[in-house]
């Protein structure tokens, strides 16, 4: 990928290309999108595109990285949820669902591209590992505090629970299932809390 722009004008042009690329990828999918489509949507010359990105794959990988960073950041609860573990789980689930709703169309293209693009597949798997590692750390802290079942394998349990949430939001988005987000988050939270042995 080309070096990041150093001028404000260059950064604006690069951002415009990314916005255009996302719109075109979401409309047409990865395979049907061409560099010329992105340049036309961004209202720039094709040569300008190649000033900032080496290829269609390169700009898509940049979008994937931005998507992963946004999803991780937007689902992180920090101190906003307070110390109650059940509330922290609920807040994290709610934020993940909300973030996925904003980015779900792009996620569908990422899944498509990951089926044949090794770099996209690698990034998708790495992003899953980051979410699972965060959940694992949280579960181990709760076990150390004596509020979660100490007999659970934290790595396996976190992977299973993260998979539940990811699979639900992905399938409900792809299939257009008419679930109420609040009800879904309540159910996810209850399943998660019971699975790790939190007191009612």
């Amino acid at each position: 990928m080309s070096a990041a722009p150093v001028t404000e004008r260059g950064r604006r042009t690069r951002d415009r290309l990314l916005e255009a690329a996302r719109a075109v990828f979401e409309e047409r999918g990865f395979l049907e999108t061409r560099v010329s489509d992105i340049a036309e949507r961004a209202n720039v010359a094709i040569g300008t595109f190649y000033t900032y990105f080496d290829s269609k794959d390169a700009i898509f990988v940049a979008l994937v990285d931005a998507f992963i960073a946004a999803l991780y950041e937007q689902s992180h609860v920090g101190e906003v949820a307070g110390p109650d573990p059940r509330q922290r789980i609920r807040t994290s689930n709610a934020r993940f669902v909300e973030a996925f709703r904003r980015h779900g169309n792009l996620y569908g293209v990422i899944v498509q591209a990951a089926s044949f693009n090794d770099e996209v597949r690698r990034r998708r798997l790495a992003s899953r590992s980051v979410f699972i590692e965060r959940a694992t750390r949280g579960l181990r802290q709760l076990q150390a505090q004596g509020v979660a079942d100490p007999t659970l394998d934290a790595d396996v349990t976190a992977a299973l629970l993260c998979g539940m949430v990811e699979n639900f939001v992905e399938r409900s988005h792809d299939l257009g299932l008419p679930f109420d987000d609040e009800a879904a988050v309540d159910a996810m939270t209850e399943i998660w809390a019971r699975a790790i042995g939190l007191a009612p």
Side-chain angles (χ1 to χ4, degrees):
M1 185 180 294
S2 301
V6 296
T7 67
E8 181 60 31
R9 180 179 179 182
R11 286 190 288 271
R12 287 199 303 269
T13 301
R14 185 179 187 276
D15 288 345
R16 192 161 76 248
L17 282 164
L18 285 167
E19 291 172 6
R22 175 168 178 160
V24 177
F25 280 125
E26 289 181 354
E27 289 173 8
R28 304 186 182 185
F30 184 86
L31 293 174
E32 298 302 319
T33 294
R34 301 170 300 177
V35 168
S36 59
D37 299 325
I38 297 170
E40 181 179 359
R41 181 67 63 93
N43 196 29
V44 301
I46 291 179
T48 300
F49 174 94
Y50 286 110
T51 298
Y52 298 94
F53 299 98
D54 296 335
S55 63
K56 179 179 80 170
D57 286 36
I59 197 170
F60 188 73
V61 166
L63 286 172
V64 172
D65 288 344
F67 164 81
I68 292 169
L71 201 60
Y72 186 84
E73 178 62 28
Q74 291 165 16
S75 62
H76 181 58
V77 298
E79 300 300 321
V80 300
D84 179 66
R86 187 181 292 265
Q87 184 57 45
R88 291 181 66 82
I89 292 167
R90 191 188 192 288
T91 300
S92 181
N93 285 337
R95 287 187 165 197
F96 185 87
V97 170
E98 180 184 357
F100 195 92
R101 292 288 185 242
R102 289 198 295 270
H103 303 291
N105 290 336
L106 179 60
Y107 182 81
V109 186
I110 292 172
V111 171
Q112 177 197 46
S115 67
F116 54 80
N117 185 302
D118 289 340
E119 187 60 29
V120 174
R121 184 184 305 111
R122 186 186 69 77
R123 278 169 156 76
R124 187 184 180 207
L125 292 174
S127 73
R128 282 179 169 171
S129 296
V130 169
F131 280 95
I132 292 169
E133 287 167 6
R134 183 170 70 184
T136 301
R137 289 194 303 271
L139 177 52
R140 285 184 175 144
Q141 288 174 357
L142 294 177
Q143 288 174 319
Q145 294 166 8
V147 295
D149 184 349
T151 67
L152 291 173
D153 183 309
D155 295 290
V156 173
T157 304
L160 288 168
L161 292 170
C162 287
M164 170 192 71
V165 174
E166 180 188 17
N167 188 65
F168 175 81
V169 294
E170 178 185 341
R171 291 292 176 264
S172 63
H173 177 272
D174 290 348
L175 300 176
L177 301 177
F179 289 108
D180 175 75
D181 283 354
E182 287 294 313
V185 169
D186 285 343
M188 289 176 198
T189 302
E190 188 61 27
I191 292 169
W192 194 302
R194 291 187 184 189
I196 66 174
L198 288 185

